[in-house]
C-alpha cells in the first residue's frame, strides 16, 4: 500500500524531528552538559504525533516528564526546547524548568510534570474550564502505564466521568513502569479495562501506528466535543532506551528490543509512504535543522542572576 501524500510526509517529518532531537539530548547528557537526568521518547513518537494530529491548536495538552516528544509534536521551537534542557536563557521556561518541565502555553501545552500522575487532575481542571466557558476545547493528557496505579488517576477519571468533562486520557503503555514490567505491578493486562469502573469507553490501539493513534484520538475528541464525556485510550508502544539516561535496561528479556525495533514507528510509516527519495530528503533536512538548533542553544548564555527568582510567565 502506498500512502504518499503531504499529510503522511508531515507526520513522518514530525516523528523524525523528535527522534533527531532526542538523539541530540542523549549526546548532550553524555557530554555532561545537562543537569539532572533525561527521559527520552525514542520509540514512542507515533503516540504524540498521532494524538496531536487529531487535536486543534487550542486544545490543552499535558504530559509526563518523558515529554520532549509531545512538546515538539505540539510545534514548540527545538532551539527553545534544547535551551531549556541546557538551563540556558531563551529556554521555554527561561532555563529554569529543565528536561522534566517543558511548558509552552503559547502552544496550549500546559506542562510536562515530574510527579507521576500529578498532571491528571490538571487535565481534568482544563476540561472543566472548557466546559464552564462553553467552548468546545478538549483536554488531552498523556501518561505512562505506571500511572494507572496512582490515586490521582482514579480520582481524575472518576471526576471527569461524573461531570462528563471533555477529557481524553492517553496511556502510553511502553511495557515498563521505570524498571518494572507491567505484569509485576498491575493485575490486569489490558489497562484500558480500567475505564469500565468509571463508565467511560476504554479502547486499546497500536501505539506504533501513527494513523491508528490519530484516528482513535479523533473519535474520542469528537465524542468529548459533543458532550459525550471522557475516553481512556491505551496506546501500546515501547521505549527503545532505558527509563532514564542512567538506565542500561539490562532487565529486558533477550530479543525483546530487537522485536520492537522491527516495528519502529518511523520505519513503519516510511514503508507505508513507499517513497524512499521523499523520506530520505525529509531525514536529511530535519537532521540539519536539529543540528543547527542544538548549536544555537549551546551558544545561548545562562539566565542572568537577576532573573533567577522571577516568575516564569508563558
Amino acid at each position: 500500500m502506498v500512502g504518499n501524500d503531504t499529510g503522511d510526509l508531515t507526520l513522518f517529518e514530525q516523528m523524525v524531528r523528535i527522534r533527531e532531537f532526542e538523539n541530540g539530548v542523549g549526546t548532550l547528557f553524555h557530554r555532561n552538559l545537562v543537569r539532572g537526568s533525561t527521559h527520552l521518547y525514542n520509540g514512542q513518537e507515533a503516540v504524540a504525533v498521532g494524538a496531536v494530529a487529531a487535536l486543534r491548536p487550542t486544545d490543552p495538552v499535558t504530559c509526563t516528564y518523558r515529554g520532549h516528544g509531545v512538546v515538539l509534536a505540539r510545534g514548540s521551537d527545538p532551539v527553545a526546547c534544547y535551551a531549556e534542557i541546557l538551563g540556558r536563557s531563551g529556554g521555554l521556561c527561561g532555563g529554569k524548568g529543565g528536561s522534566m518541565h517543558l511548558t509552552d502555553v503559547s502552544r496550549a501545552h500546559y506542562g510536562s510534570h515530574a510527579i507521576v500522575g500529578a498532571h491528571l487532575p490538571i487535565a481534568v481542571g482544563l476540561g472543566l474550564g472548557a466546559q464552564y466557558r462553553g467552548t468546545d476545547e478538549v483536554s488531552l493528557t498523556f501518561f505512562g502505564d505506571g500511572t494507572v496505579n496512582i490515586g490521582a488517576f482514579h480520582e481524575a477519571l472518576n471526576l471527569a466521568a461524573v461531570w462528563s468533562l471533555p477529557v481524553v486520557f492517553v496511556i502510553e503503555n511502553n511495557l515498563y513502569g521505570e524498571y518494572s514490567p507491567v505484569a509485576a505491578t498491575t493485575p490486569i493486562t489490558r489497562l484500558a479495562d480500567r475505564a469500565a469502573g468509571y463508565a467511560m469507553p476504554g479502547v486499546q490501539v497500536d501505539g506504533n501506528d501513527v494513523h491508528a493513534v490519530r484516528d482513535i484520538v479523533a473519535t474520542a475528541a469528537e465524542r468529548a466535543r459533543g458532550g459525550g464525556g471522557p475516553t481512556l485510550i491505551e496506546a501500546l508502544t515501547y521505549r527503545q532506551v532505558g527509563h532514564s539516561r542512567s538506565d542500561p535496561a539490562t532487565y529486558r528479556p533477550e530479543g525483546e528490543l530487537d522485536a520492537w525495533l522491527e516495528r519502529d514507528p518511523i520505519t513503519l510509516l516510511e514503508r507505508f509512504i513507499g517513497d524512499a527519495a521523499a523520506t530520505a530528503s525529509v531525514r536529511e533536512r530535519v537532521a540539519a535543522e536539529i543540528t543547527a538548533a542544538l548549536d544555537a542553544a549551546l551558544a545561548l548564555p545562562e539566565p542572568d542572576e537577576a532573573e533567577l527568582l522571577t516568575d516564569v510567565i508563558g
Side-chain angles (χ1 to χ4, degrees), residues 12-292:
F12 180 76
E13 177 178 329
Q14 291 171 337
M15 289 200 289
V16 170
R17 180 174 291 108
I18 294 170
R19 181 68 59 84
E20 291 288 339
F21 182 93
E22 294 293 63
N23 289 341
V25 173
T27 299
L28 291 174
F29 184 83
H30 289 298
R31 290 172 61 190
N32 202 30
L33 293 173
V34 178
R35 296 176 177 87
S37 190
T38 56
H39 305 82
L40 303 185
Y41 205 66
N42 297 50
Q44 300 181 208
E45 293 89 352
V47 183
V49 171
V52 167
L55 300 178
R56 298 175 183 172
T58 55
D59 290 331
V61 172
T62 52
C63 68
T64 72
Y65 49 77
R66 197 180 306 281
H68 306 164
V70 175
V71 179
L72 290 168
R74 203 61 171 154
S76 295
D77 179 14
V79 177
C81 292
Y82 270 138
E84 186 59 37
I85 293 168
L86 288 164
R88 305 294 176 89
S89 64
L92 287 178
C93 300
K96 302 176 185 180
S99 171
M100 292 192 282
H101 300 98
L102 297 182
T103 302
D104 190 350
V105 176
S106 71
R107 301 284 181 173
H109 185 276
Y110 291 89
S112 309
H113 298 263
I115 305 300
V116 174
H119 59 296
L120 271 67
I122 295 172
V124 170
L126 290 165
L128 176 61
Q131 185 187 73
Y132 180 81
R133 294 191 306 273
T135 69
D136 62 353
E137 293 171 353
V138 172
S139 171
L140 186 142
T141 185
F142 299 91
F143 51 97
D145 44 271
T147 301
V148 303
N149 299 322
I150 298 295
F153 167 84
H154 299 281
E155 294 167 357
L157 267 66
N158 186 69
L159 197 58
V162 169
W163 288 347
S164 194
L165 297 179
V167 184
V168 177
F169 298 94
V170 179
I171 308 169
E172 295 185 276
N173 185 354
N174 60 23
L175 306 189
Y176 292 92
E178 293 198 358
Y179 320 111
S180 302
V182 173
T185 61
T186 309
I188 60 174
T189 57
R190 189 177 186 275
L191 302 184
D193 289 347
R194 288 275 170 97
Y198 303 101
M200 68 176 70
V203 294
Q204 200 175 67
V205 64
D206 180 355
N208 282 20
D209 182 338
V210 68
H211 297 126
V213 174
R214 180 189 60 191
D215 293 348
I216 204 73
V217 171
T219 298
E222 181 179 6
R223 177 176 181 272
R225 291 189 209 283
T231 298
L232 178 65
I233 297 171
E234 179 187 5
L236 300 173
T237 186
Y238 192 78
R239 55 171 165 82
Q240 297 175 359
V241 294
H243 166 68
S244 64
R245 296 306 299 156
S246 58
D247 171 23
T250 55
Y251 45 80
R252 294 190 289 209
E254 184 177 354
E256 181 181 87
L257 175 59
D258 291 336
W260 279 94
L261 288 176
E262 286 294 316
R263 299 200 68 257
D264 183 293
I266 296 175
T267 302
L268 291 181
L269 182 56
E270 191 166 23
R271 291 172 184 162
F272 177 81
I273 291 172
D275 186 335
T279 54
S281 176
V282 169
R283 285 183 181 274
E284 182 178 1
R285 175 168 50 80
V286 172
E289 170 200 331
I290 294 302
T291 296

